[in-house]
Amino acid sequence: YRLNTRPGDVPGGPALHTLHSALGALRAWATPNVSRGYLWLALRGKLYRLDASRPVAETIDGIHSLRVECVVRALDPTIDQVDVTVWLSTGADHTPVRIVVETSGERLAAQLTETTATFAAR
């Protein structure tokens, strides 16, 4: 992904993620024992920081999951923050079960409705 920045322009110098690789990183990171975390992502030529809270065990629709609450903020202060909550199955692949995105008074929710995956005991 090409962002209009020079190498090293990401604060702290960590990897820069796309929306897809950020979800993959969140899935790989999420365990009940981790503390809060963050990552940088680029979207439509803008730089954002995603701050993730410690995952919390929760059952959603009978599926054992980890709920991760996130806040996404742009470096540009004129862009509203986005609150994102992701529920990941507790299985080895941490399948996203539900995602809720809220910003500027609007809410979008997406939920897994069909899969061939096997989840932890329901």
Side-chain angles (χ1 to χ4, degrees), residues 12-85:
L16 180 61
H17 289 273
T18 65
L19 194 55
H20 292 100
S21 69
L23 180 57
L26 193 65
R27 290 172 67 188
W29 164 83
T31 65
N33 302 323
V34 297
S35 60
R36 294 184 285 151
Y38 75 94
L39 57 79
W40 293 97
L41 67 106
L43 182 63
R44 295 188 201 133
K46 304 274 187 197
L47 184 62
Y48 296 84
R49 179 175 158 142
L50 180 148
D51 288 282
S53 65
R54 182 178 183 176
V56 175
E58 189 172 288
T59 301
I60 185 166
D61 290 339
I63 299 171
H64 296 292
S65 304
L66 294 172
R67 177 178 40 85
V68 182
E69 294 179 359
C70 305
V71 176
V72 181
R73 294 180 185 88
L75 290 186
D76 178 347
T78 65
I79 298 174
D80 290 341
Q81 82 174 30
V82 179
D83 296 314
V84 179
T85 304

Side-chain angles (χ1 to χ4, degrees), residues 61 63 95-98 110-115 117 119:
D61 290 339
I63 299 171
T95 301
V97 177
R98 180 174 171 83
Q111 190 152 334
L112 181 67
T113 59
E114 186 174 330
T115 182
F119 294 110

